[in-house]
Every structure is written in C-alpha cells, then in structure tokens.
Amino acid sequence: VARSFLCRATRGLGRRAAGTRPVPFRVASVKWSWRLARIAGIDVHIHATFLILPALYALSAYRATGSPAAALAAVGGILLVFLIVVLHEYGHALAARRYGIGTADITLLPIGGVARLQMMPKEPRQELVIALAGPAVNVVIALGLWAALAATGGAAAEAAPADERFFSRGLLAQLQTWNLSMLLFNLIPAFPLDGGRVLRALLAMRMDYARATVAAARVGRALALVGGLVGYFYLRQPMLVIIALFIWLGAAGEAGAVQQESAFEGLALERVMMTDVRTIAPDDPLAHAVRLVLGGFQQDFPVLDAGGAVVGVLTRADLLRALAEHGERASVASAMRRDFPSARPDEPVDAVLDRLRASGVHAMPVVRGRELLGMLSLDNVGEFLMIRAALQRAGRAAA
C-alpha cells in the first residue's frame, strides 16, 4: 500500500510548537472526501475514489465464486485492511501530538492513507520517533494477529478473504500477510515512505537538514530506479514500475520542497515581490482588465479605490467567469474578490507563500496598511528561484 504520512499543511492550520518548523505547503485540503468520524480529536475522511476499491474486490470475488456472501466477505476483508491503515496513520499522528504537532485530518485513498501533519519537527530525533510510530503500530498488530492465529490452531493456507466464512482463520492469515507487507514496504528508505523519513532523520543527526534531505532523496531515487528496472525487465510486474515511479517522484518532490525552503530562509518578501504592477478601479469595465491581460504578463490585478487603497483583487479565474456570465461591459466591482489575502513587505517569503497557496488564488497584494507596494505571485516566485539557481551555478563555475 503506497502511502505517506507527510502530506503537508499550511502554517496557519495550527500554532507553531517549540522545537518544530513548519514544512512547505502542499495541499490545503483533500477534495472530494467526506468525514467518517472524529477520533482523538482528528477527523477521518474517505475519498470518493476509495469506493472503487471495495467495489472491485466484491466484483472479483463474485465472479470467482458466484456467491454474494463471498463478495461481502471480500469487502469486509479490504475494509479491515484499511482499518490497519488508519491505525498506522494514528501512530504517526499521536506521536506527532507528543511534540505539540497537530494533525489536520486522515484521509483514506485507494492507494492507502494520508495523515496531514500541520508541521514537521525540527529535531531529527523527533522526526525519527514520528516516522517509526506508524510501523510500530503494524508490529503491535502483527503480534496480536499472531496470538489470535496461535489461539485458533493456525490458518488454512488455502482460505482467502473471499471465503464466505468471514471471520475465518484464513482471513486472519491474510490480514497478517498484508500487515507485514505494509510494514516492510513503508520501511524502504525512500521518500515519501516512512523509511525515507527515518533515513533523513538519521542523516540530519550528522549534517544540516537540507543536505540530509538531498542525500536521502538520492538514495530513494536510486532504489526507485533499480526497483523499476527489476520490475519491468526481470519480474515483468507493471505495478512495481508504477510504485517505483511513485517513489521517484516523491523523493524528487521532497528534495525540491526542502531546497525551496532553504532558498527562502531569512528572505523578506520585499526581495521577491513584483513592484511594476498594473492596477484597476472598481468602476472600470471588465474590458479594461482584458486589455491589460492581453497586453502584458500580469494576470491578477489589485483593485484600488479613488484614494489608492486596496479594496479587492481581480483574479484571472474570476475575470473569465464574469466575462462568460455578464460580458465585458460589467464592472470590475461585480467580479473582484473583496475577501483576499495580503502580506507585508517585511514578512518571510516562505510563510507568505504558504498563505498564498492555501488561499486558492494565484497572487496577493503586498501592502503597508492599505497602501499597495507590490504583488506576490507563484510565477514570480518560480522565476526568482530559477534566477537564483542560475547565479549559484555561475558562482560555482567561476570558483
């Protein structure tokens, strides 16, 4: 089961705990999901795509046996597997809570579970404990299943979860197999698996966090490459290739996120923001905004009143929606957002970037009071990183 407990959240989701550092934002929420329960103060969600999995298992079992009872037993088996996944995620979440780190929610997906921690610990030993807490739950479950199998006289190897006798020894044996497989898979030292976090934490005890992340990511990509080649050319298993790709992308994404965080460390927003900004007024027609979009690189516009104060933001998405509904003669005021995020020029870039991504808009005004000083967009952040990387390469070449 491919899963990762480190799906990031914004800094705004909770208070910064002592000894912790917020991690780069990834997703503000998991869309198309519903809340199943709230346990230990953590919401458990189920994603809409998760429903595909029990349906496929039920169909497979029914085709194999022709029995509705076997189909229901197969669904029950897969739900028990995902109960183990939830317990695994709660291991991470409760271990993180010990260090003052909250968990936004736990979401069940077809590929496994995702616990969205609000921040990650700065201390390597704390990250090590959190990373190992999930596999430790699997160890406890394995011991419990072993005791249950021993008490019932062992398991029949030929019995499967699709058997109509739902609570059979065969089902316990299958759960034990899946549980141990989950344990071993997650201990592979590659991001975004628990083993990758463990490796990074161990390396971070001897070097700085960014270097430890890059080193762990290289190990993960190497394992993914070897696993993909073995899966394709030797074992002829396409699923192994997909898993290898998942691990490769996860390792690359983790390294990139930490490098970005390192690049912005201690950097004020005024160093990155755009200062050559086109503005519009609430009474301007949408046609004016269209001309500005077509005539330049800017796509989102701060809206200023007659006194020069920022009273709204017109995003490209809102502009297109208003054009389709009301035409270009409609006023900017009818389409602009009056509830919008903003930032101060002295704020750290990484904190503002998290807030920007969480807001769902592409750009935000940088203000002092209500006076516009500039704009921050995801595009100019990316350009800043590319320019900085080019200058660093030039510096290394000159040296």
Side-chain angles (χ1 to χ4, degrees), residues 23-47:
V23 297
F25 171 85
R26 281 294 177 269
V27 288
S29 62
V30 180
K31 298 183 182 299
W32 295 98
S33 61
W34 305 285
R35 191 174 79 169
L36 288 179
R38 183 175 178 84
I39 305 172
I42 302 171
D43 289 336
V44 179
H45 294 255
I46 181 171
H47 196 267

Side-chain angles (χ1 to χ4, degrees), residues 80-88 138 141 145 175 179 182:
L80 285 177
V81 171
F82 274 84
L83 175 60
I84 295 175
V85 172
V86 171
L87 294 175
H88 178 110
N138 292 111
I141 293 173
L145 290 172
L175 288 176
N179 178 63
M182 187 186 307

Side-chain angles (χ1 to χ4, degrees), residues 177-259:
T177 299
W178 285 331
N179 178 63
L180 293 175
S181 298
M182 187 186 307
L183 169 64
L184 296 176
F185 179 75
N186 276 287
L187 288 178
I188 296 174
F191 292 119
L193 306 177
D194 298 334
R197 315 292 171 185
V198 170
L199 177 60
R200 196 251 303 277
L202 294 174
L203 292 174
M205 294 177 184
R206 296 180 173 272
M207 61 182 72
D208 66 77
Y209 190 82
R211 287 178 56 205
T213 301
V214 172
R218 287 174 179 168
V219 172
R221 289 197 295 265
L223 291 175
L225 179 61
V226 172
L229 292 175
V230 170
Y232 183 78
F233 291 105
Y234 182 69
L235 299 177
R236 304 291 182 181
Q237 290 290 335
M239 183 56 66
L240 292 180
V241 179
I242 294 174
I243 292 174
L245 178 62
F246 166 79
I247 293 175
W248 178 282
L249 295 176
E254 185 73 21
V258 172
Q259 287 173 337

Side-chain angles (χ1 to χ4, degrees), residues 265-280:
E265 187 174 1
L267 195 65
L269 184 57
E270 59 189 351
R271 295 278 305 279
V272 180
M273 68 182 186
M274 298 184 298
T275 55
D276 184 10
V277 179
R278 302 293 185 268
T279 65
I280 53 180

Side-chain angles (χ1 to χ4, degrees), residues 54-371:
L56 289 177
Y57 269 76
L59 180 61
S60 177
Y62 184 77
R63 285 182 173 178
T65 65
S67 168
L72 290 175
V75 172
I78 198 63
L79 293 180
L80 285 177
V81 171
F82 274 84
L83 175 60
I84 295 175
V85 172
V86 171
L87 294 175
H88 178 110
E89 300 301 334
Y90 264 96
H92 294 306
L94 296 180
R97 181 178 293 180
R98 175 185 175 186
Y99 300 113
I101 302 171
T103 301
D105 53 52
I106 294 172
T107 302
L108 292 179
L109 301 160
I111 60 172
V114 173
R116 298 193 304 125
L117 302 187
Q118 293 173 348
M119 57 185 71
M120 280 307 297
K122 187 176 182 179
E123 295 297 326
R125 287 179 177 82
Q126 294 179 2
E127 181 174 18
L128 183 64
V129 171
I130 295 172
L132 289 175
V137 171
N138 292 111
V139 172
V140 173
I141 293 173
L143 293 174
L145 290 172
W146 176 82
L149 287 169
T152 56
E158 66 276 7
D163 196 307
E164 294 182 25
R165 298 167 299 154
F166 179 62
F167 290 105
S168 66
R169 289 174 293 173
L171 174 63
L172 294 178
Q174 286 288 341
L175 288 176
Q176 180 74 297
T177 299
W178 285 331
N179 178 63
L180 293 175
S181 298
M182 187 186 307
L183 169 64
L184 296 176
F185 179 75
N186 276 287
L187 288 178
I188 296 174
F191 292 119
L193 306 177
D194 298 334
R197 315 292 171 185
V198 170
L199 177 60
R200 196 251 303 277
L202 294 174
L203 292 174
M205 294 177 184
R206 296 180 173 272
M207 61 182 72
D208 66 77
Y209 190 82
R211 287 178 56 205
T213 301
V214 172
R218 287 174 179 168
V219 172
R221 289 197 295 265
L223 291 175
L225 179 61
V226 172
L229 292 175
V230 170
Y232 183 78
F233 291 105
Y234 182 69
L235 299 177
R236 304 291 182 181
Q237 290 290 335
M239 183 56 66
L240 292 180
V241 179
I242 294 174
I243 292 174
L245 178 62
F246 166 79
I247 293 175
W248 178 282
L249 295 176
E254 185 73 21
V258 172
Q259 287 173 337
Q260 174 179 302
E261 182 185 4
S262 178
F264 288 139
E265 187 174 1
L267 195 65
L269 184 57
E270 59 189 351
R271 295 278 305 279
V272 180
M273 68 182 186
M274 298 184 298
T275 55
D276 184 10
V277 179
R278 302 293 185 268
T279 65
I280 53 180
D283 296 332
D284 287 338
L286 294 178
H288 179 55
V290 170
R291 286 193 295 271
L292 292 176
V293 170
L294 296 177
F297 63 88
Q298 196 172 329
Q299 299 177 348
D300 303 273
F301 301 92
V303 183
L304 308 186
D305 64 14
V310 182
V311 294
V313 171
L314 180 66
T315 68
R316 180 177 63 172
D318 292 334
L319 172 60
L320 294 175
R321 183 163 45 249
L323 287 172
E325 294 177 357
H326 308 295
E328 62 181 11
R329 293 185 179 180
S331 67
V332 168
S334 66
M336 71 181 190
R337 296 190 181 201
R338 290 176 170 80
D339 182 15
F340 57 91
S342 63
R344 301 186 312 275
D346 58 342
E347 288 190 80
V349 175
D350 50 357
V352 177
L353 190 58
D354 287 348
R355 199 159 71 243
L356 173 62
R357 286 170 171 157
S359 69
V361 299
H362 187 263
M364 70 163 63
V366 182
V367 298
R368 182 180 289 115
R370 298 183 67 189
E371 176 191 2

